[in-house]
Amino acid sequence: MRNYLIYLTSFVLILSCGETKKNGEISEEQLELQSDRDVEANISSDDLEKSMEQLGGMFNMGGDEESKDEGSPETNALKKLLEMSGSDSHGSQDLGSFGDMLKSDAILDLLEASGVSREEMQKLINNPDSLKLLAQEAMKNRELEPKNEPELKGKLSKEQLTSKNTPTGVSLEEAILIVQAESGPEATMAKLKTIDSLAGTNVMEKLDLTEAGYVLRDIERKNEEPPTVEETKKIEVLKKVTGQLHSVKEANSVLADLEKTENDINSGTLKASSRYQETIQYRKKIVKVFQKDFERKAKAAKDKFQKLNPDLYFGDEAGETYVGHLKKAVYLPLGELSFADAVVAYHHPLLLTQQVKNVLGEPDVLQGYDIEDITGIHSLGLGGTITVQFTDNALTDVNGPDLYIFEIGQIEPTDLEISKNGKEWIHVGKIDGGVAEVDISPFVKQGELFYYVRLTDLKMKSGLPGADVDAIAAIGAAMRLNLDSKVLFETGKSNLKPEGIIALKELAENIVVLKKGNVIVEGHTDDVGSAETNQKLSLARAKSVSAELKKLIPSSGFRWKEKGFGESQPMVENDTDENRAKNRRVDVLILPN
């Protein structure tokens, strides 16, 4: 439930952005600045109505496929709405007047979908307590609804629809089903007359087409085939996934899956209930809202980053923007490669470490309505610690923030340390105050690379005990690739083997995606032989690899440098043959220019 405050606050700011947009165009940079000040809610007025649909999706309101039972998530959402309006002393906030907001047809539609009649809403528009009264009305209507009975939006009662006390003995409901089976669910005057003819009444043709449409939809819904157990599970998953996307890439992927499912249903390849089909259509609309919003935020975040770091750009194919704390857009120049790759140490005070690997890779947290219904995170526990390693990239200092901790809920006080080798540590300090990004520049030298990050919870209680970490990403990033010397060279030699050249061709494909950068080729050996001999051999091997890569990557966007470290920088202790083999390697680092 703790995400409702975020969603509702975002809702308020969406509307204020919409009003600002009406008064004049706002640049992407201004949008980003406003997002930094608020909660990243930069949606234009053109998208307002769709954004409200998105908000409805967050609450599971406004969609035909949602259930409407007493005590349902929709009722809980309305309770939170009441808290926000100030009618409940617990958790209420002073967010100012909602009078202007209630002029929006989108809000009227949202509350109408929650059970408030439009006539009542119109009466309340100019009332300063409108939000509270409307929410109370919606709560009252929902609590009065019989369980497991579909809500009838039309003006006809259940008795009028089901009674067979008609001149023909056919109920209106039966007549509607007969007509729908022949010509579909849409309301037309011809269909209404046919329904009345079958039932021997004149009830339907007295309704306007909007009201008649509600009636026909009510009957269709009541008599439709219920979703299967498997479909019900899929619907629940879709509610979570489509309402909690983390990037443009993820939005595109989910949208592609929904469209494929829709095409399979339309082609007859996949048999689906009406409820499942409606779910697919409704969730597509929500994802499209996210997709458009994310694309706008991604552009603003990338532009801002590139202004700070004009030389740190590896190409559109590499960079990606992710949604962080309070919907903040975080641009990562290395995209997916930016995230921590391995957990090397951890401690939880209650030994709850089953989900420790959830901190690795891209953000993927999914949360339901209950705090227990959450996946994709690892809670450190009060005073708990975790140490992660970057293996295919490294943390380095750039202009602006260098590290981003993707944490859910509030940003709890957490102590941060970084290390080059996992042994000697630099204490960066405390992360708190709602800021998830860290600038390491006061603590490091320009060009230094760090491969380890250690987080320690500072024992501040919240919903889940301990900082709740979803992902850890290096904003200031360097790509790191390594090859086993056994693949590249014969023992004691520096000339590339044929299979070594093949391996470098594959390596070059990964490098060329970055478009430009400083390429540092490092040679390393084990501790067999003299230190002087090993240093010379490692440098010669680095130069052989560099020369071949230059042939494979002729781009002028890369600058090249070779280094030989000999046995001085082992990955692991040289205490077994297996470990010595790991230390005989060539590392290729691609750093920003």
Side-chain angles (χ1 to χ4, degrees), residues 168-382:
T168 63
V170 177
S171 69
L172 279 173
E173 180 176 354
E174 291 171 331
I176 289 170
L177 289 173
I178 292 171
V179 172
Q180 284 180 330
E182 293 178 351
S183 54
E186 295 78 11
T188 65
M189 191 53 66
K191 285 184 184 179
L192 302 185
K193 291 180 177 179
T194 302
I195 293 168
D196 276 332
S197 175
L198 289 171
T201 64
N202 63 351
V203 174
M204 296 299 294
E205 56 189 281
K206 289 183 178 179
L207 300 176
D208 62 44
L209 290 180
T210 299
E211 289 294 337
Y214 285 143
V215 173
L216 268 59
R217 183 67 190 95
D218 289 339
I219 299 304
E220 181 190 32
R221 186 62 175 275
K222 177 182 175 182
N223 292 275
E224 70 185 8
E225 180 184 354
T228 64
V229 173
E230 183 180 1
E231 286 177 336
T232 301
K233 291 179 180 178
K234 289 180 179 179
I235 288 171
E236 291 303 312
V237 171
L238 282 174
K239 288 179 183 179
K240 287 186 180 181
V241 171
T242 57
Q244 300 176 78
L245 297 164
H246 306 91
S247 66
V248 175
K249 180 178 68 174
E250 186 179 5
N252 291 339
S253 176
V254 171
L255 186 59
D257 289 342
L258 289 172
E259 288 177 342
K260 181 181 183 304
T261 302
E262 189 174 54
N263 290 336
D264 288 344
I265 292 172
N266 292 337
S267 67
T269 305
L270 177 64
K271 184 178 179 182
S273 66
S274 298
R275 177 70 61 85
Y276 188 54
Q277 293 180 52
E278 291 164 3
T279 298
I280 297 296
Q281 294 171 359
Y282 177 65
R283 293 294 155 181
K284 271 182 59 181
K285 294 178 182 178
I286 290 177
V287 174
K288 286 181 178 179
V289 171
F290 272 117
Q291 182 189 46
K292 190 170 184 179
D293 184 33
F294 285 0
E295 285 174 350
R296 184 184 297 106
K297 288 182 177 180
K299 184 180 185 307
K302 185 172 78 170
D303 290 347
K304 181 180 178 181
F305 182 86
Q306 285 187 270
K307 285 180 180 179
L308 288 173
N309 299 278
D311 293 328
L312 180 48
Y313 177 60
F314 295 123
D316 289 334
E317 295 88 347
E320 183 65 61
T321 301
Y322 296 84
V323 178
H325 184 61
L326 293 179
K327 302 298 180 184
K328 178 179 177 62
V330 184
Y331 178 71
L332 304 178
L334 283 180
E336 187 177 355
L337 291 176
S338 306
F339 295 93
D341 303 293
V343 175
V344 296
Y346 50 86
H347 167 71
H348 191 287
L350 300 179
L351 304 180
L352 301 176
T353 57
Q354 297 93 331
Q355 310 300 324
V356 69
K357 290 188 177 180
N358 284 340
V359 304
L360 303 180
E362 297 174 290
D364 59 357
V365 64
L366 291 177
Q367 185 174 1
Y369 290 99
D370 298 321
I371 197 168
E372 294 82 6
D373 183 16
I374 186 169
T375 60
I377 67 163
H378 169 63
S379 182
L380 298 187
L382 297 179

